[in-house]
Amino acid sequence: MNTRKVSIKDIAKICGVSVSTVSRVINNNGRFSEETRQRVVKAIKKYNYKTNTAAKTLRMQKSNAIGILVPDLANSFFSNLVENLEKNFFIKGYSTMICDTGRDKDRELTYLKMLEAKVVDGLIVISGSRKYNPDIIDPKIPVICIDRSSDSPNVTYIGSNHEQGARMATAKLIEAGTTPILLCSSNQKISSTKDRIRGYQIEMKSQHLSDNDCKIVAIKSHKSNIDQRGIEIRSILRNMLNEQNLPIGIFAISDTIAAEVTVAAHELELNIPRDLKVIGFDDAPIAKYCYPQLTTIRQNTQEIVDKTSTLLLQMIQGDNSIRQNREIIDVDLIERGTV
Amino acid sequence: MNTRKVSIKDIAKICGVSVSTVSRVINNNGRFSEETRQRVVKAIKKYNYKTNTAAKTLRMQKSNAIGILVPDLANSFFSNLVENLEKNFFIKGYSTMICDTGRDKDRELTYLKMLEAKVVDGLIVISGSRKYNPDIIDPKIPVICIDRSSDSPNVTYIGSNHEQGARMATAKLIEAGTTPILLCSSNQKISSTKDRIRGYQIEMKSQHLSDNDCKIVAIKSHKSNIDQRGIEIRSILRNMLNEQNLPIGIFAISDTIAAEVTVAAHELELNIPRDLKVIGFDDAPIAKYCYPQLTTIRQNTQEIVDKTSTLLLQMIQGDNSIRQNREIIDVDLIERGTV
């Protein structure tokens, strides 16, 4: 039986069931016992029966649905990313289910198990403060992590070159004559944040600036409490005004924080960019609504979206060669009005 | 059999099946034919067997999942609303699946059918340019529409008092001495937009302003094309500058459009609020990032979220008395820097 192609009849004979039972198992359609299913699946694998169609169908109860875990829809970079992913997948005939985890461990776990139970064909996990652990769900479901690392060789990583972007932003502020430079961060456990902080430190060092010129501060207030964050950022700016001369230079870890810095600066009657220069990160939609419009590091959302959807669809169609991929996407400095 | 309580044994006898078969049907667990299921369900209904537990279980394959259809996650009012709904439901033990329809008819239909197939316990439909048609999905799934009307008595409506808010905004602009007042709208088919336009017209009339003082213009560019929208809004402002004296008064149908008006005004070097006064609608997160911060009509997001989750959970628990509800929630004028 090893010299000719194995037929469905062979599989039926080997398993001691009818051809129609094998067919029902393959199509996951109609009645059969779990014991029969396992026997048929085992034989199909053992004799390598028509791997391109049958095994694939077996592996995948195709649902044409993609699950997306997003940490924070209130961040316009993420909501824009998710919207564009949805559009791309819909064109290709896939629906997307979006789950907002709020960067919360329990919610993330619940949503992963739910998406698995609802039978998604593929999964996109965006950002997060821990490594993604693929053992949580069925390893047959293809996963792409955007800006989220994982120890597993089964997970594909796509993300911007955050370190490069942070170096560009830092270099721009140094060039504009604002040292020391304050890096204004939020949750420092997020992998993209770590990369950005490292880029800032590398650039400061490469330009021979001292440790005294490097200041990193983390906003403590939760992002949903805009008023509290505003108070915190105003207090940070006041401290800087007491300790150093104008102009103040700030590298904000995201456009959301950069936007909050502009609001606090207006309240303190600081002129941007004369008295305070700030660079954001993301080129989120919010960057254009700020005054002045934010100078920022653009993440190439469309390229991230296109790469993610193309790779995930290939993986869903059974092409496992591309797993373990790591795609790093270039970023650009967008000069607007805040430097 | 009508005088005493019907037991599971009675149902089994009536249907000619075993008690364990009736139990399997009730719990939707294990094997039974569709014919058997229908016979058992019919008998349970006919003899009113333990309606409080069995019939409810039959009706609901509980999944502890809620589906949310949202028209546009890029609008920070909607993403904020959805985030808060998710938090509320998660605390109560429910997961939410968010689907972004982009206000597209086909996508909406696809997502409704998908959510039905994935077995959601309840559904929230947010906004939209047509009436919601509940015939699309199983009428047993409770539905709450936020800012979306429906002809069906089975659908509960929750929404802000858009007409009241539009009257408040219009009155504020009249009081500030800016007539004529331009109403800057986008998709005029959306029911909340219609209500706001009507409120504007009613208020203008009640203050004895002429038709010449009423100007309504609709932005044509798609919201995803921020640059194109900016050009369109600048052109609208330029026309106003040619036709009338300063200050210009604009009632923007949403904070997103009001934010775009502030950006265009900065580019045309118009001082806000001296040369141009603008009021938005929603009090979306974006309102606070604009310069000056937007004077706007606040929708009470937390009240909408709380009412929606409370009512939907009651409906899921089988309380049908509250269907057909219509909850109109008051809005407030928030005075900030643009008037």
Side-chain angles (χ1 to χ4, degrees), chain B residues 106-182:
Chain B
D106 292 340
R107 276 149 80 188
E108 179 170 311
L109 185 63
T110 303
Y111 284 124
L112 280 169
K113 296 310 285 179
M114 181 187 80
L115 289 170
E116 183 185 32
K118 302 282 179 202
V119 194
V120 290
D121 292 342
L123 196 60
I124 298 167
V125 178
I126 304 173
S127 192
S129 43
R130 297 168 313 288
K131 282 186 178 173
Y132 172 68
N133 177 5
D135 301 339
I136 295 167
I137 59 157
D138 183 348
K140 285 174 217 131
I141 301 176
V143 180
I144 290 185
C145 281
I146 298 177
D147 281 339
R148 173 94 176 246
S149 55
S150 169
D151 287 328
S152 164
N154 269 327
V155 173
T156 295
Y157 174 94
I158 294 178
S160 291
N161 194 336
H162 301 287
E163 186 182 305
Q164 175 204 20
R167 292 193 66 165
M168 289 161 110
T170 308
K172 181 74 194 168
L173 287 167
I174 295 171
E175 185 194 316
T178 61
T179 43
I181 294 168
L182 179 79

Coordinates of all heavy atoms in Angstrom, one line a residue, chain B residues 106-182:
Chain B
D106 N -23.8 44.9 3.9 CA -23.4 43.5 3.8 C -22.6 43.0 5.0 O -22.8 41.9 5.4 CB -22.5 43.3 2.5 CG -23.3 43.5 1.3 OD1 -24.5 43.4 1.3 OD2 -22.7 43.8 0.2
R107 N -21.7 43.9 5.5 CA -21.0 43.5 6.6 C -21.9 43.3 7.8 O -21.7 42.3 8.6 CB -19.9 44.5 6.9 CG -18.6 44.2 6.1 CD -17.9 45.5 5.7 NE -17.0 45.9 6.8 CZ -16.4 47.1 6.8 NH1 -16.6 47.9 5.8 NH2 -15.6 47.4 7.8
E108 N -22.8 44.2 8.0 CA -23.8 44.1 9.1 C -24.5 42.7 9.1 O -24.6 42.0 10.1 CB -24.8 45.2 9.1 CG -25.8 45.1 10.2 CD -26.6 46.4 10.4 OE1 -26.0 47.5 10.4 OE2 -27.8 46.3 10.5
L109 N -25.0 42.4 7.9 CA -25.8 41.1 7.7 C -24.9 39.9 8.1 O -25.3 39.0 8.8 CB -26.3 41.0 6.3 CG -27.2 39.8 6.0 CD1 -28.5 39.9 6.9 CD2 -27.6 39.8 4.5
T110 N -23.7 40.0 7.5 CA -22.7 38.9 7.7 C -22.4 38.7 9.2 O -22.4 37.6 9.8 CB -21.4 39.1 7.0 OG1 -21.7 39.3 5.6 CG2 -20.4 38.0 7.2
Y111 N -22.2 39.8 9.9 CA -21.9 39.8 11.3 C -23.0 39.3 12.2 O -22.9 38.6 13.1 CB -21.3 41.1 11.8 CG -19.8 41.2 11.4 CD1 -19.4 42.3 10.6 CD2 -18.9 40.2 11.7 CE1 -18.1 42.4 10.2 CE2 -17.6 40.3 11.2 CZ -17.2 41.4 10.5 OH -15.9 41.5 10.1
L112 N -24.2 39.8 11.8 CA -25.4 39.3 12.6 C -25.6 37.8 12.4 O -25.8 37.1 13.4 CB -26.7 40.0 12.0 CG -26.9 41.4 12.5 CD1 -28.0 42.1 11.7 CD2 -27.3 41.4 14.0
K113 N -25.4 37.3 11.2 CA -25.6 35.8 11.0 C -24.4 35.1 11.8 O -24.7 34.0 12.3 CB -25.6 35.5 9.5 CG -26.7 36.0 8.7 CD -28.1 35.8 9.3 CE -28.6 34.3 9.2 NZ -29.9 34.2 9.8
M114 N -23.2 35.7 11.7 CA -22.1 35.0 12.4 C -22.4 34.9 13.9 O -22.2 33.9 14.5 CB -20.8 35.7 12.1 CG -19.6 35.1 12.8 SD -18.1 36.0 12.6 CE -18.3 37.2 13.9
L115 N -22.8 36.1 14.5 CA -23.0 36.1 15.9 C -24.1 35.1 16.3 O -24.0 34.5 17.3 CB -23.3 37.5 16.4 CG -22.1 38.5 16.3 CD1 -22.6 39.9 16.6 CD2 -21.0 38.1 17.3
E116 N -25.1 35.1 15.5 CA -26.2 34.1 15.8 C -25.6 32.7 15.7 O -25.9 31.9 16.6 CB -27.3 34.2 14.7 CG -28.5 33.3 15.0 CD -29.5 33.4 13.8 OE1 -29.1 33.7 12.7 OE2 -30.7 33.3 14.1
A117 N -24.8 32.4 14.7 CA -24.3 31.0 14.6 C -23.3 30.7 15.7 O -23.2 29.6 16.2 CB -23.5 30.9 13.3
K118 N -22.6 31.7 16.2 CA -21.7 31.5 17.3 C -22.4 31.4 18.7 O -21.8 31.4 19.7 CB -20.6 32.6 17.4 CG -19.8 32.8 16.1 CD -18.7 31.7 16.0 CE -17.9 31.9 14.7 NZ -17.3 30.7 14.3
V119 N -23.7 31.5 18.6 CA -24.6 31.4 19.8 C -24.2 32.5 20.9 O -23.6 32.3 21.9 CB -24.4 30.0 20.5 CG1 -25.6 29.9 21.5 CG2 -24.4 28.9 19.5
V120 N -24.7 33.7 20.6 CA -24.6 34.7 21.6 C -25.9 34.7 22.4 O -27.0 34.4 21.9 CB -24.3 36.2 21.0 CG1 -22.9 36.3 20.4 CG2 -25.4 36.5 20.0
D121 N -25.8 35.1 23.7 CA -27.0 35.2 24.5 C -27.7 36.5 24.3 O -28.9 36.5 24.7 CB -26.5 35.1 26.0 CG -26.0 33.8 26.4 OD1 -26.2 32.8 25.6 OD2 -25.3 33.7 27.4
G122 N -27.1 37.5 23.8 CA -27.7 38.8 23.6 C -26.9 39.6 22.6 O -25.8 39.3 22.3
L123 N -27.6 40.6 22.1 CA -27.0 41.4 21.0 C -27.2 42.9 21.3 O -28.3 43.3 21.7 CB -27.7 40.9 19.7 CG -27.1 41.3 18.4 CD1 -25.7 40.6 18.3 CD2 -28.0 40.8 17.3
I124 N -26.2 43.6 21.0 CA -26.3 45.1 21.1 C -25.9 45.7 19.7 O -24.9 45.4 19.1 CB -25.3 45.7 22.1 CG1 -25.7 45.1 23.5 CG2 -25.4 47.2 22.1 CD1 -24.7 45.4 24.6
V125 N -26.8 46.4 19.1 CA -26.6 47.0 17.8 C -26.5 48.5 18.0 O -27.5 49.2 18.4 CB -27.8 46.6 16.9 CG1 -27.6 47.3 15.5 CG2 -28.0 45.1 16.7
I126 N -25.4 49.1 17.6 CA -25.1 50.5 17.8 C -25.3 51.2 16.5 O -24.6 50.9 15.5 CB -23.7 50.7 18.4 CG1 -23.6 49.9 19.8 CG2 -23.5 52.2 18.7 CD1 -22.2 50.0 20.3
S127 N -26.1 52.3 16.5 CA -26.3 53.2 15.4 C -26.4 52.5 14.0 O -26.6 51.3 14.0 CB -25.1 54.1 15.3 OG -25.3 55.2 14.5
G128 N -26.4 53.2 13.0 CA -26.6 52.6 11.7 C -27.5 53.5 10.8 O -28.3 54.3 11.4
S129 N -27.5 53.4 9.5 CA -28.2 54.3 8.7 C -29.6 53.8 8.3 O -30.3 54.5 7.6 CB -27.3 54.6 7.4 OG -26.8 53.5 6.9
R130 N -29.9 52.6 8.6 CA -31.2 52.1 8.3 C -31.9 51.6 9.6 O -31.2 51.5 10.6 CB -31.2 50.9 7.3 CG -30.7 51.2 6.0 CD -30.4 50.0 5.2 NE -29.7 49.0 6.0 CZ -28.4 49.1 6.4 NH1 -27.7 50.1 6.0 NH2 -27.8 48.1 7.1
K131 N -33.2 51.4 9.6 CA -33.8 50.8 10.8 C -33.2 49.4 10.9 O -32.9 48.7 10.0 CB -35.3 50.7 10.6 CG -36.0 52.0 10.8 CD -37.5 51.9 10.7 CE -38.1 53.3 11.0 NZ -39.5 53.3 10.8
Y132 N -33.2 48.9 12.2 CA -32.7 47.6 12.4 C -33.9 46.6 12.2 O -35.0 46.8 12.7 CB -32.2 47.4 13.9 CG -31.9 46.0 14.2 CD1 -30.9 45.3 13.7 CD2 -32.8 45.3 15.1 CE1 -30.6 44.0 14.0 CE2 -32.5 44.0 15.4 CZ -31.4 43.3 14.8 OH -31.2 42.0 15.1
N133 N -33.6 45.6 11.4 CA -34.6 44.6 11.0 C -34.3 43.3 11.9 O -33.4 42.6 11.6 CB -34.5 44.3 9.5 CG -35.5 43.2 9.2 OD1 -36.3 42.7 10.0 ND2 -35.4 42.8 7.9
P134 N -35.2 43.0 12.9 CA -34.9 41.9 13.7 C -35.2 40.6 13.1 O -34.9 39.5 13.6 CB -35.8 42.2 14.9 CG -36.9 43.0 14.4 CD -36.4 43.8 13.2
D135 N -35.9 40.6 11.9 CA -36.3 39.3 11.3 C -35.0 38.5 10.8 O -35.1 37.4 10.5 CB -37.2 39.6 10.1 CG -38.4 40.3 10.5 OD1 -38.8 40.2 11.7 OD2 -39.1 40.9 9.6
I136 N -33.9 39.2 10.7 CA -32.7 38.6 10.2 C -32.3 37.5 11.1 O -31.8 36.4 10.7 CB -31.6 39.7 10.2 CG1 -31.9 40.7 9.1 CG2 -30.2 39.0 9.8 CD1 -31.0 42.0 9.2
I137 N -32.4 37.6 12.4 CA -31.9 36.6 13.3 C -33.0 36.0 14.2 O -34.1 36.6 14.3 CB -30.8 37.1 14.2 CG1 -31.2 38.3 15.0 CG2 -29.5 37.4 13.4 CD1 -30.3 38.5 16.3
D138 N -32.7 34.9 14.9 CA -33.6 34.2 15.8 C -34.3 35.2 16.8 O -33.5 35.9 17.6 CB -32.8 33.2 16.6 CG -33.7 32.3 17.5 OD1 -34.8 32.7 17.7 OD2 -33.2 31.3 18.0
P139 N -35.6 35.3 16.8 CA -36.2 36.3 17.7 C -36.0 36.0 19.2 O -36.3 36.9 20.0 CB -37.7 36.2 17.3 CG -37.9 34.9 16.6 CD -36.6 34.6 16.0
K140 N -35.5 34.8 19.5 CA -35.3 34.5 20.9 C -34.1 35.2 21.5 O -33.9 35.2 22.7 CB -35.2 33.0 21.1 CG -36.6 32.3 21.0 CD -36.4 30.8 21.0 CE -37.3 30.1 20.1 NZ -36.6 29.1 19.2
I141 N -33.2 35.7 20.6 CA -32.0 36.4 21.1 C -32.4 37.8 21.4 O -32.9 38.6 20.6 CB -30.9 36.4 20.0 CG1 -30.5 35.0 19.6 CG2 -29.7 37.2 20.5 CD1 -29.5 34.9 18.5
P142 N -32.3 38.2 22.7 CA -32.6 39.6 23.1 C -31.7 40.6 22.4 O -30.5 40.4 22.3 CB -32.4 39.6 24.6 CG -32.3 38.2 25.0 CD -31.8 37.4 23.8
V143 N -32.3 41.7 21.9 CA -31.6 42.7 21.2 C -31.8 44.1 21.8 O -33.0 44.4 22.1 CB -32.0 42.8 19.7 CG1 -31.2 43.9 19.0 CG2 -31.8 41.4 19.0
I144 N -30.8 44.8 22.0 CA -30.9 46.2 22.4 C -30.2 47.1 21.3 O -29.1 46.8 21.0 CB -30.3 46.5 23.8 CG1 -31.2 45.9 24.9 CG2 -30.2 48.1 24.0 CD1 -30.8 46.2 26.3
C145 N -31.0 48.0 20.8 CA -30.4 49.0 19.9 C -30.0 50.3 20.6 O -30.9 50.8 21.3 CB -31.4 49.3 18.8 SG -31.6 48.0 17.5
I146 N -28.8 50.7 20.4 CA -28.4 52.0 20.9 C -28.4 53.0 19.7 O -27.7 52.7 18.7 CB -27.0 51.9 21.6 CG1 -27.1 51.0 22.8 CG2 -26.5 53.3 22.0 CD1 -25.7 50.8 23.5
D147 N -29.2 54.0 19.8 CA -29.3 55.0 18.7 C -29.6 54.4 17.4 O -29.1 54.8 16.3 CB -27.9 55.8 18.6 CG -27.8 56.9 19.6 OD1 -28.9 57.3 20.1 OD2 -26.7 57.3 19.9
R148 N -30.5 53.4 17.4 CA -30.9 52.8 16.2 C -32.3 52.4 16.3 O -32.7 51.6 17.2 CB -30.0 51.5 15.9 CG -30.4 50.6 14.8 CD -29.6 51.0 13.6 NE -29.9 50.2 12.4 CZ -29.0 49.3 11.9 NH1 -27.8 49.2 12.4 NH2 -29.3 48.6 10.8
S149 N -33.2 52.9 15.4 CA -34.6 52.6 15.5 C -34.9 51.2 14.8 O -34.1 50.7 14.1 CB -35.4 53.7 15.0 OG -35.0 53.9 13.6
S150 N -36.1 50.7 15.2 CA -36.6 49.5 14.6 C -38.1 49.5 14.6 O -38.7 50.1 15.5 CB -36.0 48.3 15.4 OG -36.7 47.1 15.1
D151 N -38.7 48.8 13.6 CA -40.1 48.8 13.6 C -40.7 47.7 14.5 O -41.9 47.6 14.8 CB -40.7 48.5 12.2 CG -40.5 49.8 11.4 OD1 -40.6 50.9 11.9 OD2 -40.3 49.7 10.1
S152 N -39.8 46.8 15.0 CA -40.2 45.7 15.8 C -40.5 46.0 17.2 O -39.7 46.7 17.9 CB -39.1 44.6 15.7 OG -39.4 43.6 16.7
P153 N -41.6 45.4 17.7 CA -41.9 45.6 19.2 C -41.0 44.8 20.1 O -41.0 44.9 21.3 CB -43.3 45.1 19.3 CG -43.5 44.2 18.2 CD -42.6 44.6 17.1
N154 N -40.2 43.9 19.4 CA -39.3 43.0 20.2 C -38.0 43.7 20.6 O -37.2 43.1 21.3 CB -39.0 41.7 19.5 CG -40.1 40.7 19.8 OD1 -40.6 40.7 20.9 ND2 -40.4 39.9 18.9
V155 N -37.7 44.8 20.0 CA -36.4 45.4 20.2 C -36.5 46.6 21.1 O -37.3 47.5 21.0 CB -35.8 45.9 18.8 CG1 -34.6 46.7 19.0 CG2 -35.7 44.7 17.9
T156 N -35.5 46.6 22.1 CA -35.5 47.7 23.1 C -34.5 48.8 22.5 O -33.5 48.5 22.0 CB -34.9 47.1 24.4 OG1 -35.9 46.2 24.9 CG2 -34.7 48.2 25.4
Y157 N -35.0 50.0 22.7 CA -34.2 51.2 22.2 C -33.6 52.0 23.4 O -34.4 52.3 24.3 CB -35.1 52.1 21.3 CG -34.4 53.3 20.9 CD1 -33.8 53.4 19.6 CD2 -34.4 54.5 21.7 CE1 -33.2 54.6 19.2 CE2 -33.8 55.7 21.3 CZ -33.2 55.7 20.0 OH -32.6 56.9 19.6
I158 N -32.4 52.3 23.3 CA -31.7 53.2 24.3 C -31.0 54.2 23.5 O -30.2 53.9 22.6 CB -30.8 52.4 25.2 CG1 -31.6 51.4 26.1 CG2 -30.0 53.3 26.1 CD1 -30.8 50.6 27.0
G159 N -31.2 55.4 23.9 CA -30.4 56.5 23.1 C -30.5 57.8 23.9 O -31.4 58.0 24.7
S160 N -29.6 58.7 23.5 CA -29.6 60.0 24.1 C -30.7 60.9 23.5 O -31.2 60.5 22.5 CB -28.3 60.7 23.9 OG -27.2 60.1 24.6
N161 N -31.0 61.9 24.2 CA -32.0 62.9 23.7 C -31.3 63.8 22.7 O -30.9 64.9 23.1 CB -32.7 63.6 24.8 CG -33.9 64.4 24.4 OD1 -34.0 64.7 23.2 ND2 -34.8 64.7 25.3
H162 N -31.1 63.3 21.5 CA -30.3 64.1 20.5 C -31.0 65.4 20.1 O -30.3 66.4 19.9 CB -30.1 63.2 19.3 CG -29.4 61.9 19.5 ND1 -28.1 61.8 19.8 CD2 -29.9 60.6 19.6 CE1 -27.8 60.6 20.1 NE2 -28.8 59.8 20.0
E163 N -32.3 65.4 20.1 CA -33.0 66.6 19.7 C -32.8 67.7 20.7 O -32.4 68.8 20.4 CB -34.5 66.3 19.5 CG -35.3 67.5 19.0 CD -36.8 67.2 18.9 OE1 -37.1 66.2 18.3 OE2 -37.6 67.9 19.5
Q164 N -32.9 67.3 22.0 CA -32.7 68.2 23.1 C -31.2 68.8 23.1 O -31.0 70.0 23.2 CB -32.9 67.4 24.4 CG -32.5 68.2 25.7 CD -32.2 67.3 26.9 OE1 -31.8 66.2 26.7 NE2 -32.3 67.9 28.1
G165 N -30.3 67.9 22.8 CA -28.9 68.3 22.8 C -28.6 69.3 21.6 O -27.9 70.3 21.8
A166 N -29.2 69.0 20.5 CA -29.0 69.9 19.3 C -29.7 71.3 19.6 O -29.1 72.3 19.2 CB -29.7 69.3 18.1
R167 N -30.8 71.3 20.3 CA -31.4 72.6 20.7 C -30.5 73.4 21.6 O -30.3 74.6 21.5 CB -32.8 72.4 21.3 CG -33.8 71.8 20.4 CD -35.2 71.9 20.9 NE -35.6 73.3 21.1 CZ -36.9 73.7 21.3 NH1 -37.9 72.8 21.4 NH2 -37.2 75.0 21.5
M168 N -29.9 72.7 22.6 CA -29.0 73.3 23.6 C -27.8 73.9 22.8 O -27.4 75.1 23.1 CB -28.5 72.3 24.6 CG -29.5 71.9 25.6 SD -29.0 70.3 26.4 CE -28.7 70.9 28.0
A169 N -27.2 73.2 21.9 CA -26.0 73.7 21.2 C -26.4 74.9 20.3 O -25.7 75.9 20.3 CB -25.5 72.5 20.3
T170 N -27.5 74.8 19.6 CA -28.0 75.9 18.8 C -28.3 77.1 19.6 O -27.8 78.2 19.2 CB -29.2 75.4 18.0 OG1 -29.0 74.2 17.4 CG2 -29.6 76.4 16.9
A171 N -29.0 76.9 20.7 CA -29.3 78.1 21.6 C -28.0 78.8 22.1 O -27.9 80.0 22.1 CB -30.1 77.6 22.7
K172 N -27.0 77.9 22.4 CA -25.7 78.5 22.9 C -25.0 79.3 21.8 O -24.5 80.4 22.1 CB -24.8 77.3 23.3 CG -23.5 77.7 23.9 CD -23.6 78.3 25.3 CE -22.4 79.0 25.8 NZ -22.6 79.8 27.0
L173 N -25.1 78.9 20.6 CA -24.4 79.6 19.5 C -25.2 80.9 19.2 O -24.6 81.9 18.9 CB -24.3 78.7 18.2 CG -23.2 77.6 18.3 CD1 -23.4 76.6 17.2 CD2 -21.8 78.2 18.3
I174 N -26.5 80.8 19.3 CA -27.3 82.0 19.0 C -27.0 83.1 20.1 O -26.8 84.2 19.8 CB -28.8 81.7 19.0 CG1 -29.2 80.8 17.8 CG2 -29.7 83.0 19.0 CD1 -30.6 80.2 17.9
E175 N -27.0 82.6 21.3 CA -26.7 83.5 22.5 C -25.3 84.1 22.3 O -25.1 85.3 22.7 CB -26.7 82.6 23.7 CG -26.5 83.3 25.1 CD -26.2 82.3 26.2 OE1 -26.8 81.2 26.3 OE2 -25.3 82.6 27.0
A176 N -24.3 83.4 21.7 CA -23.0 83.9 21.5 C -22.9 84.9 20.3 O -21.8 85.4 20.0 CB -22.0 82.8 21.4
G177 N -24.0 85.1 19.7 CA -24.1 86.1 18.6 C -23.6 85.6 17.3 O -23.1 86.4 16.5
T178 N -23.6 84.3 17.0 CA -23.2 83.8 15.7 C -24.4 83.4 14.9 O -24.8 82.2 15.0 CB -22.2 82.7 15.8 OG1 -22.9 81.6 16.5 CG2 -20.9 83.0 16.6
T179 N -24.9 84.3 14.1 CA -25.9 83.8 13.1 C -25.5 84.4 11.8 O -25.0 85.5 11.8 CB -27.4 84.3 13.4 OG1 -27.3 85.6 13.9 CG2 -28.0 83.4 14.5
P180 N -25.7 83.7 10.7 CA -26.2 82.3 10.6 C -25.4 81.3 11.3 O -24.2 81.5 11.5 CB -26.3 82.1 9.0 CG -25.2 83.0 8.5 CD -25.2 84.2 9.4
I181 N -26.0 80.1 11.5 CA -25.3 79.0 12.1 C -25.2 77.9 11.1 O -26.2 77.5 10.5 CB -26.0 78.5 13.4 CG1 -25.9 79.6 14.5 CG2 -25.3 77.2 13.9 CD1 -26.8 79.3 15.7
L182 N -24.0 77.4 10.9 CA -23.8 76.3 9.9 C -23.9 75.0 10.7 O -23.2 74.8 11.7 CB -22.5 76.4 9.3 CG -22.2 75.2 8.3 CD1 -22.9 75.5 6.9 CD2 -20.7 75.0 8.1

